[in-house]
Amino acid sequence: MNPIYTSLDRDEVISYLGRCWPPRPGDPCLTVPADAGLTDGAATVYPREGQPGMAWWVVDSTVYQQDAGTPDEALAALLPGSVLTTVPDPHPVLDGPPPTSDASLSPTD
């Protein structure tokens, strides 16, 4: 069965994620395909035919780790076109010296 996408208010979805929000850098996450038309809400999947579905909260078109579980290849297979990746680090470690601005390259008189 195809997934069902339900749009909800972003703040509402974040409140449902509770202790699982915000996501931690390095944790798995799954980007929902753009053609799903879902930015914030729920993606309901049906792992077993004839059984009730399972809803996953979606924030910014992404399924993050939550009480329902951790996004993985099995969930990606149930959401065609989705991409499994990891939460990026908001403060990445740079290789080499920090970049300089053009002003710092100007000769001083």
Side-chain angles (χ1 to χ4, degrees):
M1 181 171 197
N2 291 331
I4 297 174
Y5 298 103
T6 307
S7 292
L8 297 166
D9 179 71
R10 184 177 192 275
D11 291 335
E12 186 177 3
V13 176
I14 289 172
S15 75
Y16 297 149
L17 285 168
R19 65 181 177 84
C20 295
W21 188 261
R24 295 180 315 216
D27 281 354
C29 62
L30 189 68
T31 303
V32 176
D35 63 354
L38 181 68
T39 302
D40 304 297
T44 304
V45 296
Y46 298 86
R48 292 186 193 92
E49 190 69 34
Q51 296 292 313
M54 179 177 215
W56 291 80
W57 300 119
V58 178
V59 177
D60 301 328
S61 300
T62 306
V63 176
Y64 296 100
Q65 188 168 353
Q66 51 198 269
D67 289 336
T70 300
D72 58 12
E73 292 291 340
L75 179 59
L78 294 169
L79 295 170
S82 61
V83 177
L84 186 62
T85 185
T86 58
V87 177
D89 187 344
H91 307 288
V93 176
L94 302 175
D95 290 334
T100 57
S101 69
D102 289 340
S104 66
L105 297 176
S106 301
T108 55
D109 294 298

